[in-house]
Amino acid sequence: MTNHFHSLLKRQLKKYFGVHDVPREWEGFIEAVNAAYREFDADRAMLERSLELSSQELLHANSEMRAIFQAIPDLLFRCDQDGKILDCKAAGTADLFLPPDKLLGRLIQDIPPKNVGIKFFEAIQRAKESQSMASFEYALTLHGQQYLYEARLLPLLKNQFIAIIRNITSRKKAEEALRESEEKYRTLIENINIGIYRTTGDPFGHFLQANPAMAKIFGYDTSEDFLRIRISDLYRTARERMNFLEEISHKGFVKERELHMKKKDGAPLVASCTAKVQYDSNGKIRWIDGVMEDITERKQREEEMLKTSKLESLGILAGGIAHDFNNILTAIFGNISLAKMMAEPESRVFYRLAEAEKASRRAQDLTRQLLTFSKGGAPIKKVASIAELLKDTARFVMSGSNIRRAFDISEDLWIVDIDAGQISQVIHNLVINAQQSMSQAGTIGIRAENVTVGGKTGEAGLPLTDGNYIKISIQDQGSGIPEEHLDKIFDPYFTTKEKGSGLGLTTTYAIIKKHDGHIAIKSSVGVGTTFSIYLPASKGKVEPAGEPAEKPLAGKGKVLLMDDEQIIRDVGGSMLSYLGYDVDFAKDGDEAAEHVRKAKEAGEPFDAVIMDLTIPGGLGGAEAVRKILAIDPTVKAIASSGYSNDPIMADYNKYGFSAIVPKPYDVDELRNALHAVLTGGDD
């Protein structure tokens, strides 16, 4: 390069100045120029090598980008700011309707469907203005099936843009399925009757989450109000809370654990809880997740069933004892009543007999209490108004007491189907209990009102069929009943009194249950106790009372007395003979039927047959009456039983009997029954 410059300079000097050689004084200048040329040659060689290397790297980079471009599963194309497609990915272009060679060079806004193309063009303009990504979603129907896409437009250099198009059909379906699942789960959580919660694990405890049912269980209107309370305040006792925490901390979970809690208004709540502890990385309790169900009513029903089962077990024993005892009492009553009729009313003998009869009546009351538990027994019900029964019984019990009584009885009180004697016994027992719980001061409130159970406006939480009831409440101001005794007060022979059989409340409970009713109790120590009785309202009418019939002095006719007990046949025969009847006897139903057949064949039929319903090892009155009436339909059958609550005694006409005479009976009761069936008089 240096020699070339020197030769060139000599030619120029000769041409323009006629100089054949370069002057010596120019040698320094020429050397400087030569040095510059040498540096230029070096830089040029380096630049040429650099350009050659950059070109190779660029080709390699372009190759890599092309590979990435083809490997991306999304649809890709490059376009300019006017929407002209400059490049397009080959794979997956079926979603674009047209193959790549039909897309290149065309405007995106002109490619069908036009509405999608216009959206692309609008996105290009947005990306151009903001110099950032613009995106949108659209739908296409391909081969009869709809697909969903997401398009993203990113600005490049020289006003070019790259579009990334992704098929999001599966993702959208998954998102929709997840949304629907979450919505179903949310709806389930918010509407299910079971409480679902998350709490802290400290002794006081706080709710982190709770569904509406959880708040409702505890009597709160909103979850927000419920979440603000301390969990320990929901337990009846602090010990109950600690027992729960100790168990779940030790085991890590609890399953269907019974918790005794309380509602917002203080009402007792029994809940079934299943919960599990969630631990943090240090092994400490992070929170407790659980579900809770209100089982208060279920526990009440279980307790009712348990009480009923206890009463049925007692009834099996009581029924047998009472039956035999009533046979003995019948002999006692019969003989006493006969002896009284033979004695002078003013004599000492008559007085002693009257005292013996009074004592026997007390024994009869005890027997009737036992028979209340008899399995299968039914009250002898009649349609009645209970208002006067309440007043009369309470006045009788509290006669001579310093404790006041306050009646609050609705004037429009509904009528009921009741066994007046049994319901009177119930009121008697409850008023006595109230009176004994108080000192010689205070008031016993007796209230009777109409209520509706169930429905939108009726009382809830009672183990009763929906409908109309009368509610009788007897409230005292006594010492109250400790909570630990509340579950036992209706148990047979349970009592806290120094005197008493422990059968009063058990009898009361059994009578109310057999009237298809319910008895509930609320009590606070030092405040008092309230018993509430629910009896179904009747749709019948109260029959007006007739004039009392005069007591017949004697009877006339032929009577057959059927009983397996010799003592009953003896005393019964004596009473019937005393009343003026001709008497014959039978030990069981077969023998009685044979007597009836022979008497009819002889032309001397029986006018009445008195039959014991229960004959151990023989045919009782329930079966024998059909056999006897088939022989002689004119005979009047009278049922007699030591099981005074036998179903036949409650509805004797249904079984073919004309009257009943429960054991134990005396002369007057026997006379009235026979007079009623033989003369058509009122029994």
Side-chain angles (χ1 to χ4, degrees), residues 380 613 639-641 643-652 660-662:
I380 303 174
L613 294 179
S640 180
S641 177
Y643 294 102
S644 61
N645 284 352
D646 191 293
I648 294 178
M649 303 295 280
D651 195 8
Y652 57 86
I660 59 172
V661 55

Side-chain angles (χ1 to χ4, degrees), residues 14 69 90 119 155 178 275 297 323 342 362 372 398 460 560 566 569 578 589 623 626 629 673:
K14 183 179 180 179
F69 188 77
K119 286 184 178 181
L178 180 61
E297 292 185 18
H323 175 265
M342 298 174 186
R362 292 184 63 186
T372 303
M398 299 179 67
L560 176 64
Q566 182 65 47
R569 296 197 298 270
Y578 177 82
E623 299 81 14
R626 294 191 295 270
L629 291 177

Side-chain angles (χ1 to χ4, degrees), residues 144 192 245 316 369-370 396 429 516 543 545 560 576 585 626 652 657-658:
I192 196 171
L245 289 177
I316 296 172
Q369 288 191 42
L370 289 172
F396 175 78
N429 290 342
D516 300 318
E543 296 182 3
L560 176 64
L576 290 169
F585 304 97
R626 294 191 295 270
Y652 57 86
F657 292 97
S658 300

Side-chain angles (χ1 to χ4, degrees), residues 195-209:
I196 301 175
Y197 66 87
R198 172 173 287 178
T199 72
T200 60
D202 56 284
F204 290 112
H206 294 84
F207 284 102
L208 302 175
Q209 294 177 10

